[in-house]
Amino acid sequence: MYTPPAFRIEDRTALLATVRAARLATVVTATADGPFATPLPLFVDETEGEHGVLYGHFARANPQWRTAPVGDGLAIFMGADAYVTPAWYATKRETGKVVPTWNYVTVQARGPVEFFDDPERLLEVVTRLTDLHEEPRALPWAVGDAPAEFIASQLRGIVGLRMPITHLEGKRKMSQNRNEADRLGVAKGLSESERPSDRDVADQISV
C-alpha cells in the first residue's frame, strides 16, 4: 500500500483498533487463476502470534478457498471515509490551486492462509463472531439458541479461514498535508454533512 510518511499509522494499538472496529473486511488471495476477493466478517485473536491471528469463514460453495493461493493472503479493513471538496479549502479563495481528494482510514494485514472444516473449530469461530457482534444488543442472540442439529447442518456449509498476521500496515489520511485553515474548512464542511461517515471523518481531523 502506498503510504506517505505523514499518513502512516505506526502504533500497533491503533492498527488493531481499526481492525476490531471494521465490521467487514475484504479477503484477497492471488492464485494461478487470477485474484479472488471476498467480503468477510473477521475477528482478530490478539493472544496468538506477534500481530494476532485473523479468523472467519467462507461459504463452502465459494471457489476462493478451493483455489490454492500463491503467497500470502491480504485482508483489507476500512475505517471512516469521506469525499473532500476543494470548496472547503481557504486556499481555494486565495489561489484557486486546489483539487478534490478523499479522506480515509485503512489497515491491511498480510499472512499465510489456512482453510479448515473441522466442526469443532468452525463452531468456535462462528460462536466468537456471533458473540462479538451480538454483544451490544440488549437481548443478544447466541449460537446455542438454535437447535444443535440445525447448527451442525449449517457448519457443513462453510469452511473456516485462519490467517496469522505477519505484516500489518495502516494509513490515516485526514488532511494532514493541508494547512490549518484548510483543515478547519474540511472539518466544518464534513461536520455539517447528512452522512454519518462524513461526520466521523470530521471528528478525526486535527485542527
Side-chain angles (χ1 to χ4, degrees):
M1 175 169 60
Y2 169 63
T3 310
F7 302 145
R8 187 173 298 130
I9 303 174
E10 302 280 5
D11 182 64
R12 179 179 181 272
T13 300
L15 290 164
L16 290 175
T18 299
V19 168
R20 290 193 303 269
R23 298 180 62 82
L24 197 70
T26 300
V27 176
V28 182
T29 52
T31 79
D33 296 331
F36 283 82
T38 299
L40 291 179
L42 302 176
F43 69 85
V44 58
D45 188 330
E46 296 177 40
T47 68
E48 295 187 56
E50 180 182 0
H51 299 297
V53 175
L54 295 170
Y55 287 94
H57 59 83
F58 290 91
R60 185 172 289 274
N62 188 328
Q64 184 169 359
W65 74 270
R66 297 178 182 275
T67 310
V70 177
D72 287 344
L74 175 69
I76 304 169
F77 301 85
M78 288 299 300
D81 71 280
Y83 171 76
V84 176
T85 172
W88 290 331
Y89 292 148
T91 302
K92 174 186 179 296
R93 297 185 293 275
E94 296 165 359
T95 68
K97 297 179 180 180
V98 291
V99 293
T101 192
W102 210 278
N103 279 357
Y104 58 91
V105 177
T106 185
V107 169
Q108 296 186 1
R110 295 205 313 264
V113 294
E114 171 196 345
F115 304 113
F116 60 90
D117 60 4
D118 176 74
E120 290 187 6
R121 293 180 70 188
L122 288 174
L123 180 60
E124 180 183 5
V125 167
V126 298
T127 299
R128 292 181 66 175
L129 270 173
T130 300
D131 291 348
L132 175 67
H133 294 291
E134 287 284 336
E135 192 274 334
R137 295 175 54 83
L139 296 172
W141 183 88
V143 172
D145 291 345
E149 63 274 13
F150 172 76
I151 294 299
S153 69
Q154 295 297 296
L155 294 178
R156 289 193 289 272
I158 62 175
V159 172
L161 166 70
R162 181 180 185 271
M163 192 175 100
I165 301 172
T166 58
H167 184 76
L168 193 63
E169 61 178 335
K171 185 174 183 179
R172 180 181 176 274
K173 183 178 178 294
M174 290 291 164
S175 300
Q176 300 98 311
N177 58 327
R178 307 300 308 187
N179 60 46
E180 183 178 3
D182 285 353
R183 294 198 305 274
L184 282 167
V186 173
K188 182 177 185 297
L190 290 172
S191 68
E192 296 170 350
S193 172
E194 295 181 357
R195 296 173 60 90
S197 60
D198 287 355
R199 298 195 296 273
D200 287 345
V201 171
D203 291 341
Q204 298 185 48
I205 296 174
S206 299
V207 294

